[in-house]
Amino acid sequence: QVQVVESGGGLVQAGDSLRLSCTASGLTFTSYASAWFRQAPGKEREGVSCIRRSGATSYYADSVKGRFTISRDNAKNTLYLQMSSLEPEDTAMYYCAATASDCSGSRAPYKYWGQGTQVTVSS
């Protein structure tokens, strides 16, 4: 049984940093590209960042470029999202997802999803 579990969310102030983690079990982690999505209240779920299987290539939404860094530790089956210079606009539920296909900003290719971790940034 595949499980994807996010952690690390919380309430922070604007300008602060936060690191999210996502641990996957029940699947061969190295066979999946992994991504972070987020969904703010009343908005569509959007892709934040994605990293390819080897970790050599990553992609970012324009809104987080230069502030967020995605990484993965395949030995630990864990995905990370280091977030810095957080803004109130980053407030959302953050989801980890895995796809056997290549990275995509669309939700469709991602088969496995976590339950999400809440990030709230106060001004």
Side-chain angles (χ1 to χ4, degrees), residues 36 47-51 55 57-71 80-82 103 105:
W36 289 97
V48 174
S49 182
C50 183
I51 189 166
T57 305
S58 54
Y59 305 90
Y60 297 91
D62 287 342
S63 58
V64 306
K65 270 181 190 173
R67 300 189 298 121
F68 291 10
T69 302
I70 192 171
S71 61
Y80 302 100
L81 186 68
Q82 179 67 47
C103 280

Side-chain angles (χ1 to χ4, degrees), residues 48-117:
V48 174
S49 182
C50 183
I51 189 166
R52 287 182 148 177
R53 294 171 182 79
S54 69
T57 305
S58 54
Y59 305 90
Y60 297 91
D62 287 342
S63 58
V64 306
K65 270 181 190 173
R67 300 189 298 121
F68 291 10
T69 302
I70 192 171
S71 61
R72 63 191 296 160
D73 186 336
N74 287 337
K76 295 182 178 179
N77 282 12
T78 300
L79 179 72
Y80 302 100
L81 186 68
Q82 179 67 47
M83 305 184 293
S84 61
S85 301
L86 282 161
E87 304 168 353
E89 293 74 22
D90 296 316
T91 295
M93 185 71 79
Y94 282 71
Y95 298 90
C96 172
T99 175
S101 303
D102 202 355
C103 280
S104 171
S106 168
R107 295 175 59 178
Y110 294 88
K111 182 176 181 180
Y112 300 111
W113 291 84
Q115 294 300 306
T117 185

Side-chain angles (χ1 to χ4, degrees), residues 1-4 25-27 32 35 96-100 109-114:
Q1 182 180 354
V2 175
Q3 283 193 314
V4 178
S25 60
L27 54 78
Y32 292 82
C96 172
T99 175
Y110 294 88
K111 182 176 181 180
Y112 300 111
W113 291 84

